[in-house]
Amino acid sequence: MPQYLYKYLGSQAHHLRILTSLEIRFTQPDDLNDPFDCIPGVTPPANVARFVDATFARNASEIARRGISPAQVQAARSAMIAEYTNSPDALVARCFDVVRRNLNELGILSLSARNDVLPMWAHYTENYRGFVIGMNTGGQPLVKRPGDASGEGDIRPVDYTIPRPVVPCDPLVLPSNLLFIKGSAWSYEQEWRIVRRLSSSDRTLSDGGGVPRFHLFKIDAATIEHIY
């Protein structure tokens, strides 16, 4: 574990407010700069009927709560099997949407082990007009908090790989390190990450459409030791 990790920032007002308000955003995967970051590819199931039956089994309690009859269930089952057999892309799209919705309940704080990477100064500090903060890895929000779930709040290095992760629809199980994998082209960033549930943020701000989007976590004042 490095003693310090670094955050590259631009020169906009919300970047400067990190220092005055001592709050920093944990970003959901949909808002990361690489559209493939954290989002795996999805492949269709080998057996569509088995996949549909498993889907109904997982939702049995909700089906019962709504009072849906066995005949209605059977009709819906047959329709889904026909749809997904004739259009596997529709099933892949549905699974992909489930993956995205679940992953976007999490936020990522991306940091670097280095403060002197020129491409990062160009990309993330608005062509050298911004700044970099050096954060002590022993302070908040870089350490676990009371109530954190297993793995939440842990600092981990990113693993740079050539292939994009791919998961099957059946069973739809995500690899435990999915949020810590990036393409090898990004290896120059020497990135480390902390992941937290967005529902545990200290403050949430809405975007221009009134949608809660910016999830902020408090920074201990002593955590920021350097500003470049």
Side-chain angles (χ1 to χ4, degrees), residues 6-10 114-133 188 227-228:
Y6 301 94
K7 183 66 176 176
Y8 290 71
L9 298 159
R114 292 179 57 180
N115 63 2
D116 59 353
V117 181
L118 294 187
M120 295 181 69
W121 275 96
H123 296 159
Y124 301 130
T125 71
E126 299 174 25
N127 289 326
Y128 309 95
R129 290 190 295 270
F131 60 103
V132 169
I133 55 177
Y188 68 91
I227 301 176
Y228 303 91

Side-chain angles (χ1 to χ4, degrees), residues 142-213:
L142 310 187
V143 294
K144 293 185 73 67
R145 308 194 301 183
D148 281 347
S150 176
E152 185 179 5
D154 292 335
I155 303 178
R156 293 175 55 182
V158 166
D159 181 21
Y160 296 97
T161 62
I162 294 176
R164 180 186 179 191
V166 176
V167 298
C169 284
D170 181 25
L172 187 56
V173 178
L174 302 180
S176 59
N177 64 338
L178 178 63
L179 299 182
F180 299 90
I181 299 175
K182 287 186 74 170
S184 57
W186 298 94
S187 61
Y188 68 91
E189 293 187 343
Q190 298 186 35
E191 185 178 350
W192 290 65
R193 288 181 167 178
I194 306 99
V195 176
R196 296 189 183 280
R197 289 168 292 122
L198 294 179
S199 61
S200 69
S201 65
D202 296 306
R203 191 158 70 102
T204 300
L205 303 177
S206 297
D207 61 17
V211 178
R213 182 176 173 188

Side-chain angles (χ1 to χ4, degrees), residues 47-63:
N47 188 315
V48 172
R50 183 179 64 187
F51 173 83
V52 171
D53 288 341
T55 301
F56 277 95
R58 285 195 303 272
N59 293 278
S61 59
E62 179 65 13
I63 291 171

Side-chain angles (χ1 to χ4, degrees), residues 21-33:
S21 67
L22 291 177
E23 296 174 314
I24 196 164
R25 182 187 182 188
F26 277 60
T27 304
Q28 52 270 52
D30 265 2
D31 283 355
L32 296 175
N33 62 316

Side-chain angles (χ1 to χ4, degrees), residues 89-107:
D89 287 347
L91 176 53
V92 168
R94 178 177 179 180
C95 292
F96 185 75
D97 188 55
V98 169
V99 170
R100 288 180 61 255
R101 285 203 312 269
N102 281 277
L103 290 178
N104 280 297
E105 294 179 359
L106 302 172

